Amino acid sequence: MRSLTYLFLLLGSLASLAQRVEVPFNQAWQFDGTSPAGYPYQETIDLPHTWNDQDVQQGIAQHRTTGTYTKRFVVEEAWR
């Protein structure tokens, strides 16, 4: 019974060492897209993102094109 108690104490102390860290990841993405006139543009956005919402609000016909979302981040050494 004593060894079982020590096991629970050990597991409890290990669980407290491996705490979950939440990292916000939806902010500061780079969006590269194309305007309705065909000009490339870049903007820093937060997710979720609708890349043509301003066009629709201004009465510009919906256009479809390719866009790219990019984010750079640093993985902390302590996370290993």
Side-chain angles (χ1 to χ4, degrees), residues 10-24:
L10 175 64
L11 291 176
S13 64
L14 289 177
S16 67
L17 292 175
Q19 293 182 359
R20 179 178 172 169
V21 176
E22 290 190 28
V23 178

Side-chain angles (χ1 to χ4, degrees), residues 14-70:
L14 289 177
S16 67
L17 292 175
Q19 293 182 359
R20 179 178 172 169
V21 176
E22 290 190 28
V23 178
F25 204 70
N26 288 351
Q27 289 76 29
W29 283 77
Q30 182 70 34
F31 177 74
D32 298 308
T34 306
S35 72
Y39 299 110
Y41 72 95
Q42 296 179 333
E43 65 179 317
T44 301
I45 56 93
D46 294 337
L47 298 178
H49 173 246
T50 303
W51 60 270
N52 65 347
D53 63 338
Q54 296 299 316
D55 300 339
V56 173
Q57 291 177 8
Q58 295 174 12
I60 299 172
Q62 180 182 11
H63 67 283
R64 295 180 182 180
T65 186
T66 302
T68 305
Y69 292 90
T70 308

